[in-house]
Every structure is written in structure tokens, then in C-alpha cells.
Amino acid sequence: MNPVAIVTGASGGIGRETAKLLAQRGYAICINYLSNSESAFALVDELQAIGVNAIAVQADVSSEEGVKRLFSEADNRLGNITALVNNAGIMLPQSAVSSMDAERINAMFQANVTSAFLCCREAVHRMAQSRGGNGGAIVNVSSAAVKTGSPNEYVDYAATKAALDTLTMGLAKEVGREGIRVNAVRPGPIDTDMHAAGGEPDRVARVADNIPLGRGGSTLEVAEMIAWLLSDNASYSTGSLFDVAGGM
Ligand code: NAP
């Protein structure tokens, strides 16, 4: 039986690269997306052409309904999931905390935190050995922003990622004896569409000088860490936070 992975937010950026890499490593893949169906189905076609069992499922993972439908489609079309990558996330236009309203803050936490909690819940229901599952691995995509706090840009975003780090550490302890490992990756600046959503498409080039390695990272460099954490090569790592941030 092939391992089966759900990657949330896999229509672009880090999620898309991760789905591709996992497919190359033998996983059947569920590509979740919110709005970019063209990119999601182009990836399905690309993967199916090389013999990968790949599906795309539109679902808003910040909603109960979306998450339940995503997992049940994966159950029905791919079988038992063995891996989950909580990658879906948003960034909102750069702002100081003094200008943030409740609507923005709630939207940020619902998209970046509630989504990961709900997906973890559904994954644990399926993977836990006490429920008849075969164990599995979860990777939460956090951010190096946890450590800087991202002042005057997006402290709200950084705080959602700190919540994911805590989810990672707490859940890992809850489910370690269920055969489930839970880890987080914390990427530094990676050149994806996310920075345009923050209002500064060229942000990675601007901050490159402050990164010890002198450059932004690639989506593949992040995907490689995620794939390693999901693999048996990482069998003794759980509850850990792995920086992929060029030394930041
Ligand atoms: P991206 O290119 O903007 O991709 C974000 C993905 O998330 C898209 O596929 C988008 O789907 C999906 N998405 C957003 N909200 C969703 C929802 N409610 N339900 C389902 N899918 C949803 O961003 P990225 O840079 O690859 O970011 C991926 C992850 O890495 C995020 O969690 C981000 O916080 C984290 N990260 C990024 C960086 C960086 O510098 N880029 C650094 C650290 C951490 P559609 O396009 O289909 O709408």
C-alpha cells in the first residue's frame, strides 16, 4: 500500500512543491486548494501522467464543513491517510498592531490556526492506533516570523504561527503512543505569492541582506524538510520545530 498524504493549500507555493515532492517519493496525494482550481488540476494532470494517484479537492480548511468534506473525499478516493501537511495559510496587508481590528485578527486566526486544529483532529481520528489506525505523521507549516514577531508588518500572522508551534508540541505529546508524530517547519522568507498578499511582492529581495545565508529560500528547500519529517527517516522526531530559514 502506498502512503497517502493530504497537503492543504497545495495549489501554489510551498504546498504545491511539497505535493510534487511527496508524489515523487511514492505517496498518493490529495491536493487541497481554496480558489486556484487551474493550478490544482494542472498538478493533478502532471502527477497522473507519471503514474501517481493524485486528486484535487476544493475545500476551505478554516471551516468544519470544508475539513470534513476534504478528509472524507480523501478516504473515499485514496484510502487511509498516513500523512498530513497543514500548509494552507494567509497573510494580510502589512499593518501595525495599533491599526488592527477584530475582523482582521479573527480572519487571520481562523485561516491559519483553526484550520490546522480541525485538520489535526480529523487526521488523529484516522491515524490513531487505539481507533484502528496505523499511525502516521503530521507537519505543521509555521514560520521564522515566530521568533521576530514581525513588527509593523504582521504581528497577527506571527502570532498564528506561534499557536501552530504550541499545537505541534502539545498534540505530539497527546498522540505519541498512538503511533503519530507531529512536527513543525519554520521557513524563513520564501519567494511565493504570499508576499503580494502582504502588499510587498518583492519582500524577499528586500530582506535578503538580513539573512545569514544572504538569500531567500526556495519552495523545494522547505518541501525537502517536510518530506523528511513525514518519512521513517525521522522516526524519532516528534514535537519539534525545524527552522528552514537560512540561519535567521
Ligand atoms: P501561497 O503561495 O500564498 O499559498 C497559499 C496556499 O494556501 C494556496 O494554495 C491557497 O489556495 C491556500 N489557502 C489559503 N487559505 C486557504 C483555506 N482557507 N483553505 C484551503 N486552502 C487555503 O503561500 P506560501 O508562501 O506557499 O505559504 C504556504 C505556507 O507557508 C503558509 O502557511 C505560510 O504561512 C507559510 N510560510 C510561508 C513563508 C514565505 O515566505 N512564503 C514563510 C514562512 C511560512 P488558493 O491559492 O487555491 O486560494
Side-chain angles (χ1 to χ4, degrees):
M1 279 290 285
N2 278 356
V4 177
I6 294 177
V7 183
T8 68
S11 51
I14 293 167
R16 195 173 200 279
E17 194 76 48
T18 301
K20 263 166 97 163
L21 187 63
L22 293 177
Q24 287 160 13
R25 305 251 167 110
Y27 288 78
I29 293 285
C30 176
I31 296 158
N32 160 248
Y33 68 98
L34 181 62
S35 58
N36 194 345
S37 57
E38 197 179 324
S39 173
F41 282 98
L43 182 56
V44 169
D45 289 346
E46 187 182 324
L47 296 180
Q48 286 181 346
I50 55 167
V52 175
N53 192 4
I55 62 171
V57 178
Q58 191 287 330
D60 178 352
V61 291
S62 69
S63 78
E64 287 272 3
E65 181 278 328
V67 170
K68 285 182 179 164
R69 189 165 44 74
L70 168 63
F71 278 76
S72 87
E73 282 223 34
D75 290 341
N76 295 338
R77 296 170 65 190
L78 297 178
N80 284 348
I81 70 150
T82 56
L84 166 67
V85 183
N86 278 317
N87 167 79
I90 61 164
M91 181 175 276
L92 295 171
Q94 293 176 2
S95 166
V97 173
S98 54
S99 301
M100 290 179 188
D101 60 16
E103 191 183 349
R104 170 184 169 126
I105 297 162
N106 289 338
M108 178 63 79
F109 274 79
Q110 188 160 358
N112 289 7
V113 182
T114 305
S115 58
F117 270 82
L118 295 176
C119 289
C120 282
R121 180 192 70 198
E122 293 303 311
V124 167
H125 288 174
R126 287 158 175 81
M127 294 173 179
Q129 288 165 346
S130 65
R131 291 170 176 259
N134 295 317
I138 297 171
V139 174
N140 295 318
V141 181
S142 173
S143 172
V146 167
K147 294 187 286 183
T148 66
S150 300
N152 297 308
E153 292 189 323
Y154 28 73
V155 175
D156 53 348
Y157 170 87
T160 64
K161 296 302 184 177
L164 289 191
D165 287 359
T166 302
L167 166 64
T168 300
M169 295 184 286
L171 180 62
K173 289 171 184 157
E174 286 186 2
V175 299
R177 285 175 172 76
E178 294 282 5
I180 305 171
R181 295 182 300 103
V182 188
N183 291 289
V185 294
R186 304 202 291 191
I190 311 294
D191 208 1
T192 67
D193 292 346
M194 177 159 274
H195 300 285
E200 190 184 1
D202 298 329
R203 180 174 182 277
V204 177
R206 175 174 65 80
V207 301
D209 255 4
N210 301 328
I211 301 167
L213 287 186
R215 64 172 177 85
S218 71
T219 53
L220 183 57
E221 286 170 316
V222 180
E224 286 281 3
M225 177 61 89
I226 295 171
W228 180 75
L229 285 169
L230 292 177
S231 77
D232 288 342
N233 293 330
S235 52
Y236 201 52
S237 292
T238 196
S240 297
L241 316 172
F242 291 81
D243 294 347
V244 186
M248 271 176 74

